[in-house]
Amino acid sequence: MNGKNKQSLEKYMSLAIRLAKKAEGKTSPNPLVGAVLVKRGRVIGKGYHRRAGLPHAEIEAFLDAEKNGHSAKGATLYVSLEPCCHREKKTPPCTDAIIEKGISKLIVGALDPNPKVSGNGVKLLETSGIRVTTGVCEEKARGLNKAFNKYITTGTPFVTLKLAVTLDGKIATHTGDSKWIGSERQRKEAHRLRNLADAVMVGTGTILKDDPKLNVRLLKKAGRQPAPVVLDMKLRTPVKSNIFSAHENVIIVTGKSHDKNKRGKLEAAGARVIESKTGRDGLLDMRDVTRKLGKMEITSLLIEGGSRTAALALKSGIVDKVVFFYAPRIIGAEGLSMIGKTGISRVSDSLNIERVKIKKLGDEFMFEGYVSK
């Protein structure tokens, strides 16, 4: 592949990836996908998957071309994710439409990790006489769907731990006051993360102390509201908590031994109470919790605290990514640490964070990275 050809491929694939990003927070449990139709060096159609149940990106691109009076026959189709070759509940295989439209070349960003596809879409199209090139802007294309990729291969959600802290790592004073450690700009960024997640998790302590709504309020265009998930071994969540007025779907996770009367009251208030295993320490088994959430088609989970919940999640190994917002404040040793006890006694046993990015937000900064597995 010469430099000019590679540049052309990357140009159109980058457009497909930008189109896919338009639906962030809206397609779960489906992946983000963008598609671009090119004929004689011109874009004749483009589209992206807007929401689960609606047409896939390839179909949107075909419809766009037809609307503008163009035929897709003989065109090159750029798609950020390998076309599906299996029938879903509401949508037929995209490979059928690609063959039917007479596409001559297919350029793919990333292969679909879904076992129902996983290279089979490419093989089917090649067998049909379509020339296929894969791996164009692959890293960026794969990066679109971190949550989907994990969910489709493990059945569990992609987990992000988000905390707003002072420079000395405190999330509250010794009295429990935490409003507001960060600025409104920082909180807007945090609400953007909520908007991308299927569910937001906190411990009962956060519910009792802060009574949060756990919804997306600071964005003008929120895709949909994440489901609140509360870890509540003793079912202490009040039925008049703000989460019940802010959400239709409230999930309470408790142990197998719990007060059935309290459970009945929470369910009457609209909560879905699910039972999870507990570990030797008597705390909820977070791996089992994420398996249960995965069965509910929750592909991405944002954990917002408090410190005990953060420690429990990190100790269990379920956290994939951390996002810490640091404000230029100092509270001191008596403040509440951002992460509770983990039992780590040697630096060599500490969790390593890799692929780190730091973004400045005025006088604050956002630290993000991935937990080394």
Side-chain angles (χ1 to χ4, degrees), residues 36-105:
V36 177
L37 269 173
V38 178
K39 196 171 186 179
R40 300 187 187 95
R42 286 182 55 212
V43 174
I44 62 169
K46 53 189 179 182
Y48 60 97
H49 183 44
R50 297 169 185 271
R51 193 172 69 244
L54 292 182
H56 288 186
E58 299 91 328
I59 308 304
E60 290 281 10
F62 293 147
L63 291 172
D64 185 49
E66 291 171 7
K67 182 180 70 176
N68 294 315
H70 298 291
S71 168
K73 188 173 182 179
T76 299
L77 175 63
Y78 291 78
V79 61
S80 59
L81 186 69
E82 177 184 12
C84 63
C85 54
H86 64 291
R87 179 173 291 275
E88 293 186 356
K89 295 176 183 177
K90 300 179 181 179
T91 52
C94 289
T95 48
D96 288 0
I98 291 170
I99 295 168
E100 181 187 324
K101 294 294 181 182
I103 296 298
S104 64
K105 296 179 184 177

Side-chain angles (χ1 to χ4, degrees), residues 339-366:
I339 296 167
K341 295 180 180 180
T342 61
I344 294 172
S345 56
R346 296 184 302 177
V347 172
S348 59
D349 294 329
S350 60
L351 295 172
N352 290 323
I353 307 301
E354 57 188 20
R355 288 176 281 163
V356 169
K357 290 182 181 179
I358 297 175
K359 178 181 178 181
K360 201 166 184 302
L361 303 171
D363 291 334
E364 301 165 306
F365 66 91
M366 179 174 75

Side-chain angles (χ1 to χ4, degrees), residues 292-332:
K292 295 280 197 320
L293 295 178
K295 289 179 180 178
M296 298 167 66
E297 291 194 330
I298 290 174
T299 68
S300 53
L301 174 66
L302 181 67
I303 298 179
E304 293 199 0
S307 63
R308 289 182 63 190
T309 299
L312 184 60
L314 288 167
K315 281 173 64 178
S316 68
I318 67 164
V319 178
D320 299 292
K321 182 179 181 180
V322 298
V323 179
F324 299 151
F325 294 97
Y326 284 90
R329 300 175 185 273
I330 294 174
I331 288 178

Side-chain angles (χ1 to χ4, degrees), residues 89-162:
K89 295 176 183 177
K90 300 179 181 179
T91 52
C94 289
T95 48
D96 288 0
I98 291 170
I99 295 168
E100 181 187 324
K101 294 294 181 182
I103 296 298
S104 64
K105 296 179 184 177
L106 174 71
I107 313 298
V108 176
L111 295 180
D112 190 339
N114 187 339
K116 294 178 181 178
V117 186
S118 194
N120 292 322
V122 165
K123 290 177 185 176
L124 175 61
L125 293 170
E126 286 179 327
T127 302
S128 301
I130 296 172
R131 286 178 287 171
V132 180
T133 299
T134 62
V136 177
C137 300
E138 184 174 10
E139 187 175 343
K140 290 182 180 178
R142 281 184 56 81
L144 279 172
N145 291 301
K146 295 183 183 73
F148 172 79
N149 294 342
K150 183 185 178 185
Y151 174 73
I152 206 69
T153 54
T154 68
T156 59
F158 184 90
V159 180
T160 301
L161 172 63
K162 187 276 291 183

Side-chain angles (χ1 to χ4, degrees), residues 201-212 229-238 241 243 252-254 266 284 305-306 308-309:
M201 175 184 285
V202 296
T204 327
T206 298
I207 294 293
L208 296 175
K209 180 173 67 70
D210 298 333
D211 194 19
V229 179
V230 184
L231 302 181
D232 191 355
M233 284 286 288
K234 297 180 180 179
L235 296 181
R236 296 184 295 158
T237 300
S241 298
I243 52 172
I252 307 289
V253 185
T254 191
L266 287 167
L284 289 168
R308 289 182 63 190
T309 299

